Amino acid sequence: QVQLVESGGGLVQAGGSLRLSCAASGRTFSSYAMGWFRQAPGKEREFVAALSWSGGSTHYADSVKGRFTISRDNAGNTVYLQMNSLKPEDTAVYYCAADPYRFGVLTTASKYNHWGQGTQVTVSS
C-alpha cells in the first residue's frame, strides 16, 4: 500500500515557477510508476506528466512540454514536478498518482491505483 501527500502548491504570477513534491510512504515506492494530473474548476481531470518506475521514461502533455519536468528521488520516496514559465491556464488542483506498473509510463488516470489529496496551484495574470 502506498500513501501519497502532495505539497508545494501556492499562488504565483504568470511566468513564475513552482516545484510540487509528492511524498510517498511504503517500502515499494521505487517500483511504482508515477504521474501528475490536474483538475481545474468545471473541468475533467487531465494528464500532466508521467514517469516510469525506473525513471528512464517520461511523458508530458503537449500543454506543458518544455515547461514542466517530472523527476523522482527513490531514496527520499519523493516525486517532483518542476513547473516553469507558468501560465494562468495552469491553475488547477494538482494530484500525484502511483501504480505498480513496470512496463513504462501511464498517462490514463483510471490506470492508477493510488492518489494523493491534491495541492492547489494558482497562476495570476
Side-chain angles (χ1 to χ4, degrees):
Q1 185 74 10
V2 173
Q3 292 184 324
L4 306 173
V5 178
E6 301 97 334
S7 62
L11 173 64
V12 64
Q13 288 188 330
S17 298
L18 282 174
R19 188 176 79 158
L20 304 184
S21 299
C22 173
S25 64
R27 293 176 295 174
T28 58
F29 167 78
S30 60
S31 65
Y32 278 65
M34 304 296 297
W36 285 96
F37 292 77
R38 66 187 182 187
Q39 188 165 17
K43 295 188 176 182
E44 304 230 334
R45 189 170 298 191
E46 66 172 1
F47 167 75
V48 175
L51 181 65
S52 63
W53 71 272
S54 67
S57 297
T58 58
H59 190 75
Y60 297 92
D62 288 342
S63 59
V64 307
K65 201 171 293 182
R67 300 188 297 123
F68 290 12
T69 302
I70 187 171
S71 62
R72 68 190 302 158
D73 172 11
N74 284 341
N77 276 15
T78 303
V79 171
Y80 301 100
L81 185 68
Q82 178 66 45
M83 305 187 296
N84 299 327
S85 303
L86 283 161
K87 304 176 181 180
E89 51 264 42
D90 293 319
T91 295
V93 177
Y94 283 71
Y95 297 91
C96 174
D99 189 87
Y101 182 73
R102 306 271 294 184
F103 303 102
V105 298
L106 291 173
T107 62
T108 304
S110 62
K111 300 291 187 182
Y112 284 91
N113 284 317
H114 306 283
W115 290 86
Q117 83 290 348
T119 185
Q120 176 71 45
V121 171
T122 303
V123 184
S124 63
S125 57

